[in-house]
């Protein structure tokens, strides 16, 4: 029922034709990408694990989620064994540093692999995903002693890690946190406070759990400038295997709409009185800086969750539509036909598919850009990619997560009454992805970041550089008769982005609130254009490969890609007109003093 | 947390200013509407019951849904007592026939009351709602003996009724059903078969349950022309109080995304061997005709569920946004502010509010039209309203249910992380309403009905008559400087509807599939325009009342209404352009032979 067919042909195509594969492959540690066969075999092996081990546990996790007792959290039956196989295969450490046992793969490849795993079982992937993030935070901020002790065990997967930011009064505004850290005589700290929404804050998968905790040292400045980062392990370090229990407890887990296999914990530090023992990572009051450096990656990963769950939902809906017999075909048939033959079901499937492909394309392109921004030998080139990444991350995170909600909901609709029944599995992608537009910064937060830090701060320079790339693609497509409609839709959509950006440039001084009220419509507009840009590039590549004699893609794949691009041009790109109007003319009503009085 | 504030001022305004209240009030049985004080007191009393009795059980139903055992289904704790109070107050029989003890109120009033109840507790309302539908079916089709036996008990609420249409292979295509009815010597029938998705198919609220069952008599024609309607009671008639158990069993209930308080049953007829005893309603093979006559009402009610749950979600989000302190205001503030002060949160709230108001306006206008189509003394006038109803029902059902999914999801987003936690109640309206675009005919089915039976069949005549009404409103608004933007948005949107309708008229002969692939975009386009038409009428009325000295509405209500209309004009109406493009240019990709091969 829940078959998850990993789109390998699509992954290969996007890697090669859209993402900067050749350029990324020249980076240090990127040999795996240079070797097409190796890339292929990694993707194939990942798919095998995903289909064989993770996928069968996805519905189990939904039905039989993590459970809390006073002794601790137990995960879904089967997760333990899957985790063992996952780390034995080294899948947890694809993008972890080689000096601690990781594989140091480029993001471009690990992102493709991650999509496969998350599509098969998002809840399971939260645990290794957070450990991956914590490893990168420690690499950035921790001293050698902390690194030497924690990194080998985290990289091996023997231990897992968590990220502790949110508190009841400190969600989007992390700087409002109140957890305290009191310096102790031995150079460690004692941590007191409560954190909420901590994924895998407790579990029985690993022998130890390493909590990265944001807290405030006594006397620190208010707000985000007074936040420090600490390592607080569940079991304290000790010669030999495992030390004493630290003063950190999981006080409960949330009952959620989805992600049942991933325990969302309330963590209490220092309840026993003495405080939880913590070690400072980096300098005092610089905790958020370390977190911010990781933020691009974290937000990128949430965008990829949107891609993965959209793909999963699409595959489920496609399979169902091919099997479910109901109604006669419009052209007249004696027997019931599979519903995939009904025009509106096709429309829904293509709307899922074309948007998922557009999102994936942007995800991979961004992954390659993250690699190049990080590792290219030429600092000018690094900066160029960094500018692109900084601009595009909030767009990708916001647009892909919001679009994924729409795409996964369409799958429920295609399933009809069965979509509403939990056992069919049709609603799980929607329920699992509904948190994506919220965590790691809501869509509103992404949009404010986009406007204030990415568009207005540099006077639109990086936005314009990207739009010039879009123009080039648009010109190229306009030269091909078969892609004229696509080019024309894309041209109008790009013009909308420019129009709104110009309006921002004028409006933000006199009416800054108007600009912020327009931020999300602009983000969606930019996301749709980014997707359209890459669908146009994909269509250009597919056209070329259809004429080539040595294309490795099948004809049906390439023609399908052209159809997706045309569908996107007719159904998705035109939405940009309304978003531009909403952005430029919609703020007055939003901010009207009478707006929300009743 | 879950406070449901019934929007009485809004209800009064829409009844009086938008729906044809004065005209409806002149109909027989509509005295209640003619008397403003009586109307008011009915709405106030309904609100009191909703807030005091139904609302507190809404979260209970979600958490502690109906349960199945082999002995039968038990409902959520507290539902029994609430049901008793509900029927004691006569709320179940507002629109039931007076000759059997009902109150025979016009739909216009009962729809307003129903919105209040459904907003407070949708799952609970399914039981009396289905009984109401069954009473109308029996009024239409049953003979006097059946009426005399069943109607008094159903109208009193002593017994409840269910509607049994769907079978595993017969969902959207009801005509594919296989349940058999075998004539018995005494004029009754023996029914054999399985029905699924039967709401309140079993429960412990009432002494008896009267199942209306669609089945096929041996030798009947295939498809929808061979379907008959039967009454199959859980307990057989007998002199005195209650007869023997009939051969009908609830074999299980579904675990669903929402609506947990409403048991969704699999019903098995005739499993013991002899068959369940059933009585024919009306003539053999005419069962679907009776059902079709009721269909407008059933679809109308689902649209109103969209309104009710959108209103509920809006109220929850508004309350949360007013209380939740997070972040500083954009203009700079030392302390955290309620998130309602953040521009994007305001944008989300207004998008919920303006669309909910537009949907409600259409719902009430339709309710009034249903009354006039049914009861106006002049057959010409009846026909006029009937044409409007026939055109508008699929639009309202499709658009309001789809929009409600978007609106209720926005509430989850406004709640941030808490939105994802079940205990907050934020996700319940979304989970409860997710079935609305599916049951009583999916959005695709509504759209096909709209195109084929309502637009193409009469050559666009009833569509054009409605659009002329919209034109008049548009002209009136254009004459007021303050409503110019609204008038201009509405004008463009109406032009889009006409453009697509003309394209349909041309395309449907040569390329009928193209037209059906465009059906849902057209339905959404028409729905947005219908909402815009009524928001413009509401704005005209609000402007007038602001200048009037004797308006009963508060200034903040009237100014708020003007803001809603302006918001709708800038954020919602412009979406029609993209929908028109999708309809007219999007079918080729949808129907491309390569579209869904991979």
């Amino acid at each position: 029922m829940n078959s998850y067919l990993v789109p390998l042909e699509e992954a290969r195509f996007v890697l090669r034709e859209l993402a900067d594969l050749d350029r990324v492959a020249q980076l240090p540690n990127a040999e795996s990408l240079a070797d097409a066969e190796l890339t292929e075999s990694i993707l194939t092996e990942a798919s095998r694990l995903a289909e064989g081990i993770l996928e069968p546990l996805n519905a189990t996790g939904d039905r039989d989620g993590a459970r809390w007792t006073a002794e601790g959290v137990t995960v879904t039956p089967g997760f333990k064994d899957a985790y063992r196989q996952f780390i034995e295969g080294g899948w947890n450490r694809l993008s972890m540093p080689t000096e601690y046992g990781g594989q140091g793969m480029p993001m471009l490849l690990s992102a493709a692999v991650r999509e496969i795993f998350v599509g098969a079982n998002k809840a399971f992937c939260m645990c290794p995903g957070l450990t991956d993030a914590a490893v990168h935070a420690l690499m950035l901020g921790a001293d050698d002693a902390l690194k030497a002790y924690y990194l080998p065990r985290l990289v091996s997967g023997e231990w897992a890690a968590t990220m502790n930011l949110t508190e009841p009064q400190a969600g989007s505004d992390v700087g409002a946190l109140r957890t305290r850290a009191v310096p102790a005589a031995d150079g460690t700290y004692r941590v007191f406070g409560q954190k909420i929404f901590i994924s895998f804050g407790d579990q029985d998968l690993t022998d130890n759990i390493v909590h990265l905790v944001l807290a405030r040292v006594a006397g620190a400045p208010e707000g985000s400038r007074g936040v420090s980062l600490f390592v607080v392990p569940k079991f304290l370090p000790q010669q030999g295997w495992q030390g004493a229990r630290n003063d950190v407890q999981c006080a409960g887990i949330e009952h959620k709409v989805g992600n049942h296999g991933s325990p969302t914990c309330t963590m209490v530090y220092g309840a026993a009185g003495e405080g939880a023992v913590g070690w400072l990572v980096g300098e005092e009051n610089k905790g958020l800086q370390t977190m911010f450096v990781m933020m691009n990656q974290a937000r990128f990963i949430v965008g990829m969750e949107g891609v993965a769950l959209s793909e999963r939902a699409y595959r489920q809906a496609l399979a169902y539509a091919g099997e479910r017999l109901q109604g006669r075909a419009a052209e007249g048939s004696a027997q019931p036909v599979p519903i995939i033959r009904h025009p509106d079901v096709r429309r829904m499937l293509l709307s899922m598919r074309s948007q998922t492909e557009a999102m994936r394309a942007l995800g991979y392109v961004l992954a390659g850009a993250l690699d190049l921004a990080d590792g290219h030998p030429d600092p000018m080139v690094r900066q160029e990619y960094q500018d692109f990444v900084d601009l595009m991350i909030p767009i990708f995170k916001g647009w892909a997560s919001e679009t994924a909600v729409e795409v996964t909901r369409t799958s429920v609709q295609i399933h009809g009454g069965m979509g509403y029944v939990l056992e069919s599995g049709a609603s799980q992608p929607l329920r699992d992805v509904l948190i994506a537009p919220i965590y790691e910064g809501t869509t509103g937060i992404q949009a404010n970041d986009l406007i204030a830090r990415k568009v207005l701060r540099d006077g639109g320079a990086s936005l314009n550089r990207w739009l010039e790339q879009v123009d080039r693609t648009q010109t190229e497509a306009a030269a091909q008769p078969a892609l004229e409609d696509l080019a024309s839709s894309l041209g109008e959509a790009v013009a909308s982005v420019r129009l709104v950006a110009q309006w921002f440039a004028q409006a933000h001084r006199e009416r800054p609130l108007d600009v912020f009220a327009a931020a999300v419509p602009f983000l969606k507009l930019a996301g749709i254009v980014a997707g359209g840009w890459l669908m146009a590039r994909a269509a250009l590549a597919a056209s070329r490969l259809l004429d080539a004699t040595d294309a490795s893609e099948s004809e049906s794949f390439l023609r399908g890609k052209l159809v997706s691009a045309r569908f996107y041009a007719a159904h998705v790109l035109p939405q940009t007109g309304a978003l531009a109007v909403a952005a430029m003319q919609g703020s007055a009503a939003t901010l009207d003093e009478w707006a929300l009085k009743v």
Side-chain angles (χ1 to χ4, degrees), chain A residues 193-505:
Chain A
Q194 192 196 57
K195 295 284 181 179
I196 61 169
F197 298 161
I198 308 308
S199 298
F200 280 96
D202 197 37
Q203 36 83 357
D204 54 351
L205 291 170
T206 60
D207 295 332
N208 200 357
I209 303 173
V210 181
H211 303 292
L212 295 198
V213 183
L214 288 181
R216 196 178 289 288
V217 179
E222 289 213 352
S224 53
R225 286 175 201 174
V227 172
S228 306
L229 179 63
F230 298 88
V231 166
V232 183
K234 179 175 178 180
F235 291 100
L236 293 166
Q238 187 174 296
Q239 293 300 89
W241 180 70
Q242 182 180 288
R245 191 74 161 73
N246 203 350
D247 184 6
V248 45
Q249 300 291 341
C250 170
I253 64 175
E254 307 289 352
H255 299 98
K256 309 188 299 293
V257 176
N259 271 317
H260 300 156
S262 166
T264 300
C265 303
T266 297
M267 302 302 295
V268 179
Y269 293 88
E274 300 283 297
V277 184
W279 284 261
L280 182 68
V281 178
E283 292 173 46
E284 278 189 8
N285 303 333
K286 298 282 171 71
L288 272 187
Q289 287 175 25
T290 306
M291 285 294 171
F292 272 127
V293 176
M294 292 177 51
M295 199 164 282
N296 271 343
Q297 191 178 331
R299 291 177 171 180
F300 169 73
I301 285 166
V302 176
M304 286 305 297
E305 290 177 351
V307 178
L309 288 172
S310 294
E311 179 69 33
R312 179 186 183 86
Y314 170 66
R315 293 286 157 189
Q316 289 180 208
L318 184 68
Y320 184 80
E323 286 161 12
R324 168 70 175 165
L325 304 177
Q326 193 72 182
R328 274 64 186 163
E331 71 268 25
S333 58
Q335 292 304 311
V337 297
I339 60 171
I340 196 171
R341 290 189 55 193
H342 299 313
D344 188 59
V345 173
R346 297 177 70 83
R347 182 192 60 79
M348 288 191 277
L349 286 167
L350 278 160
S351 125
M352 298 177 73
R353 176 182 169 142
S354 65
Q355 293 186 92
T356 304
E357 289 179 9
M359 290 189 271
R360 175 184 296 108
L362 183 58
Y364 280 27
V365 165
L366 253 177
L370 280 160
D371 287 326
L372 291 159
D374 191 47
H376 196 277
D378 181 342
M380 296 275 288
V381 176
R382 282 206 301 276
Q383 188 59 50
E384 195 180 292
Y385 280 101
Q386 190 62 49
D387 290 346
F388 177 79
V389 163
D390 288 342
L391 173 73
M392 212 47 86
I393 285 286
I395 295 174
F396 178 59
K397 196 278 183 185
W399 168 66
S401 62
E402 294 277 340
T403 305
V405 172
E406 180 198 323
V407 168
T408 54
R409 187 247 144 172
T410 303
S411 173
V412 174
Q413 186 70 16
I414 291 172
H415 282 77
M418 288 307 294
Y420 203 58
V421 172
L422 293 177
E423 280 80 354
S424 74
S427 68
Q428 196 186 343
L430 169 61
R431 291 182 294 101
D432 284 356
V433 93
L434 203 60
I435 189 65
I438 294 171
Y439 65 9
E440 298 296 342
T442 62
T443 307
I445 297 280
Q446 305 302 319
N448 288 350
D449 176 57
L450 172 64
I451 302 296
R453 293 198 200 88
K454 310 302 167 59
V455 172
L456 292 175
R457 190 175 288 174
D458 74 356
S462 61
L463 177 70
N464 286 330
R465 276 197 301 277
W466 167 56
L467 292 177
E468 283 159 17
Q469 290 188 60
V470 182
D471 289 340
R472 284 194 290 277
T473 300
Q474 198 269 341
T475 307
E476 225 183 305
Q480 297 214 11
L483 303 181
E484 250 173 44
D485 288 352
L486 173 57
S488 133
S489 285
L490 182 59
E492 285 175 38
V494 179
S496 287
V497 178
R498 289 202 164 96
L499 212 58
V500 179
Q502 282 159 17
W503 177 81
F504 282 158

